Amino acid sequence: MSKSNKIFVNQSGYYPSDLKKAVLNFPAESFSVVTADGSEIFKGKCTRFGYDRASGDEVYIADFSALTTDGEYRISAGGEISPKFSVGGNVNKKLFRDVMRAYYYLRCGMELTPEHAGKFTHAACHTANAVDWLDHNIEKDVSGGWHDAGDYGRYVTPGAVACAQLLYAYILYPKAAGSLCMNIPESGGECPYPKNSGSHKMNIPESGSKLPDWLAECRYELDWLLKMQKPDGSVYHKATTAQHARFVMPEHDREQMYLLPVSSMATADFAAVCALASRVYKPFDPDYSAILLRAAEKTAVWLAKNPQFVGFMNPEGCGTGGYGEGGDKDNRFWAFAELYSATGKREYHQAMQSYLVYDFSRTEMGVGSVGGLGALSYILCENPDKNMEFDGAFREMFYSHARRVKWLSSRSGYSCALTEREYNWGSNMGLMKNAMVCAIADTVCKTDEFRDTAKTQLDVLMGVNAVGVSYVTGNGEFAYSHPHLRPAFADGIEECIPGMVSGGPNSHPAEREARQFIPEGTPPMKCYVDRMEFYSINEITIYWNSPAAFTLAFLENDALACARSDK
């Protein structure tokens, strides 16, 4: 396979104060930054990084950090020209909004109208009652929530994690969340974007209500999660049809919906996110906050009475996503940490501590490993009776994790903090979770050591990668456009729904046919093809968008703070 010379840049752009590095996969002595009319406004020397194992490239770096003037540019070097990019304080405005608005396009159970969805409309879907898989005499309304991924299933553990990541983004970076809507009571000022720019709100049906748009979108998922709770406090693992739907629009998927059996992971994650949400929504809707907390405490009773692990495997006849896990100690730790933060009750504090004897990560915060969400909850807990040794230990763990991410990033020609083994299904989730860890470490440890590393992981997502693709639909000159997403295929619209994060490169794709496009021995960062049929490479999920949204909130919050301090 022949290699073409390319220059890789973040196709969304760079804040003026960013480190700005383009990557070249060919040697060049110098480079220029040029405007749309070809005028040179900056010139610099290229430096050799060396061999990058993940890409198989000999890499050269063009550092244009000294360029701080707002504008739209390209890099020119060695007779090659880069994709266009921008420099400015609002470079991620559209990207940030699109990544969050993607959740609206994934809503189940409601009609998407032209007023809010533009051309990407569809009728209400999956509104019929679901049937309990084990007892068909039990029927329940579980309409609502977000379609989890490229399919039309809805799953409790991914939904809880994605929602929690978004809620923590709101807690930690309220200025950024406020920049997406003008109705934030505590914003203390006007929207930083011009009126009628379309960026002052997310343009969802709830826009203009007393609830911030960010939280209104999360509530759509929370309302569905509440429906998944059983009378005894336990929680169904998922709501899906028996098999994945064909590639049809959601309203045309009319197969029977089922409630699949309870798992302790789903039950604990439900308790955690409801307790977390009860704190977030209390200033806006105390009644809703109380509903969430009652649901969480009801589930806590079930967890205490049922200390055994209740795993999940698809029963015979069911072929939708499993989301099984090997244990639930991290899930229970998260649940009781959130319950303690929400209530201050000693019983929850003791329960939380009882799980610290187990060996699970205290900094991971994605589907399948949620201990970091519990640790973050404890760090942010304002109860004066909390154990400050635990608090300090959790902060140090985030700091140490972020230092490793920074080190890995420095060893990559593309500044990507993934190891070669981590280019698997959903590698972009790992990329953005690394950025989240850097953001959290800077935030809770009050440092400024890891902001640049978080930003360079976003750079990778947006085009500074060995295939030169922006992995967010509708954003970037060379954005991927064929996600494994049923409505994106079935709607017949050439343009893709914007804001969807691709799973990204996978050196071990599940589909045998993928090897027609990705030959054996291809370096892991290049194991990507923009084709709809390959779910293990190009699927989307709600929990791949959420760490991207979190990272963007961190960066936007920083940019807004800098903009205000300059005035």
Side-chain angles (χ1 to χ4, degrees):
M1 183 172 60
S2 61
K3 186 197 83 170
S4 57
N5 292 346
K6 290 185 178 180
I7 304 172
F8 307 101
V9 296
N10 180 324
Q11 295 169 35
S12 179
Y14 303 85
Y15 299 105
S17 61
D18 277 348
L19 285 176
K20 309 177 191 74
K21 294 181 179 180
V23 174
L24 288 66
N25 66 358
F26 60 93
E29 290 188 3
S30 63
F31 72 95
S32 298
V33 180
V34 298
T35 60
D37 63 6
S39 301
E40 181 182 89
I41 65 158
F42 184 89
K43 189 168 185 175
K45 294 288 186 181
C46 294
T47 58
R48 179 180 177 272
F49 174 87
Y51 183 70
D52 177 77
R53 291 178 60 88
S55 66
D57 291 337
E58 192 74 19
V59 167
Y60 295 79
I61 306 297
D63 188 328
F64 56 104
S65 301
L67 173 63
T68 59
T69 306
D70 289 8
E72 188 174 277
Y73 308 108
R74 296 180 188 268
I75 303 289
S76 174
E80 303 295 332
I81 195 84
S82 78
K84 63 183 177 182
F85 62 90
S86 296
V87 173
N90 290 334
V91 289
N92 286 326
K93 177 177 66 177
K94 178 182 182 300
L95 174 64
F96 188 30
R97 187 167 179 265
D98 282 356
V99 166
M100 269 306 295
R101 266 184 54 79
Y103 289 97
Y104 169 71
Y105 292 114
L106 294 172
R107 287 189 185 190
C108 184
M110 71 176 296
E111 179 185 7
L112 302 193
T113 64
E115 178 185 2
H116 304 293
K119 65 181 74 173
F120 304 111
T121 60
H122 67 71
C125 59
H126 306 108
T127 55
N129 282 353
V131 172
D132 189 303
W133 185 274
L134 299 177
D135 184 352
H136 288 194
N137 293 316
I138 298 175
E139 292 190 12
K140 193 172 186 182
D141 168 26
V142 290
S143 59
W146 300 320
H147 296 141
D148 173 71
D151 62 281
Y152 294 132
R154 287 158 293 152
Y155 306 80
V156 168
T157 53
V161 168
C163 203
Q165 290 176 344
L166 295 176
L167 291 175
Y168 273 118
Y170 180 84
I171 291 170
L172 293 172
Y173 314 117
K175 292 176 183 176
S179 74
L180 294 183
C181 48
M182 294 181 69
N183 51 317
I184 306 293
E186 65 271 34
S187 63
E190 293 186 356
C191 173
Y193 301 133
K195 291 183 178 179
N196 303 318
S197 69
S199 297
H200 64 282
K201 63 180 181 178
M202 285 166 52
N203 187 27
I204 57 177
E206 298 83 0
S207 293
S209 69
K210 67 177 182 179
L211 195 61
D213 290 7
W214 189 285
L215 298 186
E217 191 57 63
C218 291
R219 177 168 177 167
Y220 195 80
E221 180 74 356
L222 289 163
D223 287 346
W224 171 74
L225 286 168
L226 288 170
K227 293 181 179 182
M228 294 294 285
Q229 186 177 40
K230 297 183 70 174
D232 67 353
S234 63
V235 179
Y236 289 108
H237 191 76
K238 62 179 178 177
T240 72
T241 51
Q243 304 295 330
H244 288 310
R246 294 174 295 109
F247 273 72
V248 297
M249 292 298 287
E251 64 268 32
H252 297 145
D253 175 27
R254 300 192 181 97
E255 295 298 314
Q256 178 62 57
M257 186 70 60
Y258 291 98
L259 292 161
L260 277 296
V262 164
S263 74
S264 54
M265 305 92 67
T267 301
D269 288 358
F270 170 91
V273 76
C274 286
L276 166 62
S278 73
R279 295 189 286 120
V280 177
Y281 288 82
K282 191 172 184 178
F284 303 98
D285 191 338
D287 292 339
Y288 186 59
S289 170
I291 290 170
L292 290 163
L293 186 56
R294 282 197 299 270
E297 294 209 90
K298 186 176 184 179
T299 295
V301 173
W302 186 92
L303 290 169
K305 289 181 178 179
N306 296 271
Q308 73 281 5
F309 171 55
V310 182
F312 183 86
M313 290 183 63
N314 273 334
E316 185 177 354
C318 180
T320 54
Y323 289 110
E325 298 177 36
D328 65 1
K329 299 298 190 292
D330 57 324
N331 310 80
R332 290 173 182 261
F333 167 71
W334 179 30
F336 288 114
E338 295 289 5
L339 282 157
Y340 175 64
S341 292
T343 68
K345 291 182 179 180
R346 183 177 300 176
E347 64 194 84
Y348 296 140
H349 197 210
Q350 292 173 339
M352 182 208 82
Q353 292 179 66
S354 71
Y355 290 101
L356 290 175
V357 300
Y358 297 101
D359 184 20
F360 57 81
S361 170
R362 272 60 157 173
T363 55
E364 283 291 332
M365 57 192 78
V367 174
S369 186
V370 295
L373 291 168
L376 181 58
S377 175
Y378 200 78
I379 289 170
L380 299 179
C381 175
E382 297 180 351
N383 192 316
D385 294 328
K386 75 175 181 178
N387 186 316
M388 295 309 296
E389 289 186 10
F390 292 159
D391 177 284
F394 294 152
R395 291 176 197 262
E396 179 59 33
M397 289 174 187
F398 275 112
Y399 182 79
S400 297
H401 191 162
R403 287 195 65 179
R404 173 165 172 76
V405 171
K406 184 176 181 178
W407 178 77
L408 286 170
S409 176
S410 72
R411 291 172 60 85
S412 164
Y414 292 84
S415 296
C416 179
L418 295 178
T419 65
E420 292 171 72
R421 291 181 297 177
E422 291 176 311
Y423 286 92
N424 45 33
W425 183 66
S427 62
N428 282 335
M429 173 182 66
L431 180 75
M432 287 293 97
K433 283 198 303 178
N434 282 337
M436 278 184 66
V437 167
C438 289
I440 290 169
D442 262 3
T443 302
V444 303
C445 298
K446 301 188 186 310
T447 74
D448 192 26
E449 295 183 41
F450 308 114
R451 187 262 177 206
D452 289 338
T453 306
K455 177 56 166 63
T456 54
Q457 304 319 292
L458 182 69
D459 292 346
V460 174
L461 187 76
M462 298 306 299
V464 184
N465 55 68
V467 290
V469 167
S470 161
Y471 288 116
V472 183
T473 54
N475 286 268
E477 187 173 354
F478 296 100
Y480 90 106
S481 57
H482 298 95
H484 183 90
L485 174 62
R486 279 157 176 77
F489 174 81
D491 63 11
I493 301 171
E494 183 175 354
E495 181 184 348
C496 189
I497 301 166
M500 302 290 178
V501 176
S502 167
N506 184 353
S507 57
H508 301 286
E511 302 87 356
R512 185 178 302 173
E513 296 79 7
R515 288 301 175 192
Q516 298 175 26
F517 305 92
I518 306 172
E520 196 71 34
T522 299
M525 191 185 280
K526 294 178 179 175
C527 290
Y528 176 77
V529 58
D530 183 14
R531 294 185 68 93
M532 174 277 295
E533 59 266 38
F534 300 144
Y535 76 89
S536 70
I537 296 173
N538 223 27
E539 190 167 14
I540 66 96
T541 75
I542 56 176
Y543 53 94
W544 296 342
N545 265 62
S546 52
F550 186 102
T551 302
L552 284 160
F554 166 66
L555 296 170
E556 282 288 284
N557 216 62
D558 180 66
L560 289 167
C562 290
R564 290 189 174 110
S565 66
D566 290 341
K567 289 182 179 179

